């Protein structure tokens, strides 16, 4: 063992008479200085850095990690060895409130198929990605994308600018494995910033995307096509095939 006993003073590190660091203590806790500036203060097993901390890099943030992982290894890893098996990263406000925002990896289930990455606020997980790449908002997803709320679940698309006549307010599209559109539903702007047509597009084999049905802003339905049968109505009720009514009967 090497024992350095300052006898109540500091242990100074010098190079040719010039201080470049020191070990000192405060109430029995170790303080490490760089030059004459406190770099680290210990408190039991805890260490508090006074400035930025860099691993593999000169830091430009409170914690800055850099390295060449080769594309296969992690730059950083957070691992919870507790039996609860929920690894969390929490972001808190200037008052230190725990759980303002959290990013959590839940691996508490014995089956890796039920593990998920979650994000949320106030310790409530609002957004989940499971092991099958399914995404859930407000739920554990059972399909590729699932949204759940206690009542009135709504999914909305909006434009940040004013949509002009004939332009799209938003599309819901289906792609094939070549990322080519095979079907589409579009909200098309009409005249002003609120009028809209709802358009349905399909794509025949070997053909291009074509508008098949439109419900215009007045509620009129227009069906387009080139088949011998343009409209086919099939009823599962043998007693009613097509019923037309006015506003009274």
């Amino acid at each position: 063992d090497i024992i350095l006993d300052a006898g109540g003073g500091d242990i100074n590190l010098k190079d040719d008479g010039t201080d470049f660091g020191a070990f000192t203590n405060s109430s029995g806790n170790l303080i490490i200085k760089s030059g004459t500036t406190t770099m680290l203060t210990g408190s039991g097993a805890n260490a508090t850095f006074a400035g930025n901390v860099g691993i593999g890099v000169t830091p430009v943030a409170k914690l800055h990690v850099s390295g060449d992982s080769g594309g296969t290894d992690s730059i950083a890893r957070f691992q919870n060895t507790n039996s609860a098996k929920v690894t969390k990263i929490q972001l808190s406000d200037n008052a230190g409130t725990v759980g303002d925002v959290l990013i959590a990896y839940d691996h508490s289930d014995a089956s890796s198929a039920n593990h998920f990455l979650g994000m949320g606020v106030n310790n409530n997980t609002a957004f989940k990605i499971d092991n099958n790449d399914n995404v859930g908002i407000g739920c554990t997803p059972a399909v590729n994308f699932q949204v759940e709320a206690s009542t009135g679940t709504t999914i909305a698309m909006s434009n940040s600018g004013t949509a002009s006549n004939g332009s799209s307010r938003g599309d819901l599209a289906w792609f094939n494995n070549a990322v080519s559109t095979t079907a589409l539903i579009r909200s098309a702007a009409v005249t002003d910033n609120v009028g809209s047509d709802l358009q349905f597009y399909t794509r025949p084999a070997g053909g291009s995307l074509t508008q098949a049905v439109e419900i215009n802003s007045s509620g009129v339905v227009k069906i387009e096509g080139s088949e011998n049968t343009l409209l086919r109505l099939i009823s599962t009720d043998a007693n009613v095939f097509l019923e037309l009514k006015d506003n009274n009967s």
Side-chain angles (χ1 to χ4, degrees), residues 105-118:
Y105 171 49
D106 189 323
H107 44 109
S108 56
D109 194 295
S111 171
S112 61
N114 294 325
H115 295 179
F116 66 84
L117 175 67

Side-chain angles (χ1 to χ4, degrees), residues 10 13 17 65 74 92 110-111 139 144 167 202 242:
D10 298 340
L13 305 176
V65 182
S74 302
S92 37
S111 171
C139 63
N144 298 110
S167 64
T202 57
L242 177 62

Side-chain angles (χ1 to χ4, degrees), residues 55-143:
I55 301 176
V57 66
T58 300
V60 296
K62 290 298 182 183
L63 177 61
H64 188 170
V65 182
S66 179
D68 184 354
S69 69
T72 57
D73 298 323
S74 302
I75 295 295
R77 172 175 288 191
F78 300 89
Q79 184 172 355
N80 183 6
T81 58
N82 186 275
S83 59
K85 296 183 179 180
V86 178
T87 303
K88 294 182 180 180
I89 299 174
Q90 292 181 317
L91 310 177
S92 37
D93 60 20
N94 60 355
T97 303
V98 175
D100 279 0
V101 177
L102 68 86
I103 302 171
Y105 171 49
D106 189 323
H107 44 109
S108 56
D109 194 295
S111 171
S112 61
N114 294 325
H115 295 179
F116 66 84
L117 175 67
M119 298 178 66
V121 296
N122 297 324
N123 278 324
N124 294 315
T125 304
F127 174 88
K128 292 182 179 180
I129 305 174
D130 71 10
N131 246 25
N132 295 313
D133 297 330
N134 296 330
V135 176
I137 298 177
C139 63
T140 299
V143 292

Side-chain angles (χ1 to χ4, degrees), residues 5 25-26 87 92 95 106 111 113 158 176 246:
D5 190 341
N25 80 87
S26 174
T87 303
S92 37
D106 189 323
S111 171
S158 60
N176 61 15
D246 61 19

Side-chain angles (χ1 to χ4, degrees), residues 1-219:
D1 296 339
I2 298 175
I3 299 175
L4 302 176
D5 190 341
D10 298 340
I11 298 174
N12 296 315
L13 305 176
K14 294 188 176 186
D15 182 14
D16 198 20
T18 302
D19 286 328
F20 66 86
F23 298 109
T24 184
N25 80 87
S26 174
S27 301
N29 293 319
L30 174 66
I31 296 175
I32 300 177
K33 293 184 177 181
S34 176
T36 59
T37 303
T38 296
M39 178 179 67
L40 181 148
T41 301
S43 177
N46 300 320
T48 302
F49 287 87
N52 297 340
V53 177
I55 301 176
V57 66
T58 300
V60 296
K62 290 298 182 183
L63 177 61
H64 188 170
V65 182
S66 179
D68 184 354
S69 69
T72 57
D73 298 323
S74 302
I75 295 295
R77 172 175 288 191
F78 300 89
Q79 184 172 355
N80 183 6
T81 58
N82 186 275
S83 59
K85 296 183 179 180
V86 178
T87 303
K88 294 182 180 180
I89 299 174
Q90 292 181 317
L91 310 177
S92 37
D93 60 20
N94 60 355
T97 303
V98 175
D100 279 0
V101 177
L102 68 86
I103 302 171
Y105 171 49
D106 189 323
H107 44 109
S108 56
D109 194 295
S111 171
S112 61
N114 294 325
H115 295 179
F116 66 84
L117 175 67
M119 298 178 66
V121 296
N122 297 324
N123 278 324
N124 294 315
T125 304
F127 174 88
K128 292 182 179 180
I129 305 174
D130 71 10
N131 246 25
N132 295 313
D133 297 330
N134 296 330
V135 176
I137 298 177
C139 63
T140 299
V143 292
N144 298 110
F145 180 63
Q146 183 176 348
V147 180
E148 184 177 297
S150 57
T151 58
T153 304
T154 301
I155 300 175
M157 292 185 286
S158 60
N159 292 332
S160 58
T162 301
S164 58
N165 187 29
S167 64
S168 172
R169 297 191 190 280
D171 295 346
L172 177 61
W174 286 261
F175 290 173
N176 61 15
N177 60 356
V179 198
S180 179
T181 306
T182 59
L184 181 145
I185 301 173
R186 169 173 294 165
S187 173
V190 178
T191 308
D192 56 19
N193 199 35
V194 294
S196 296
D197 293 339
L198 190 60
Q199 300 168 343
F200 297 80
Y201 290 77
T202 57
R203 184 174 177 178
S208 302
L209 200 66
T210 304
Q211 182 177 314
V213 178
E214 177 182 274
I215 305 173
N216 71 17
S217 57
S218 299

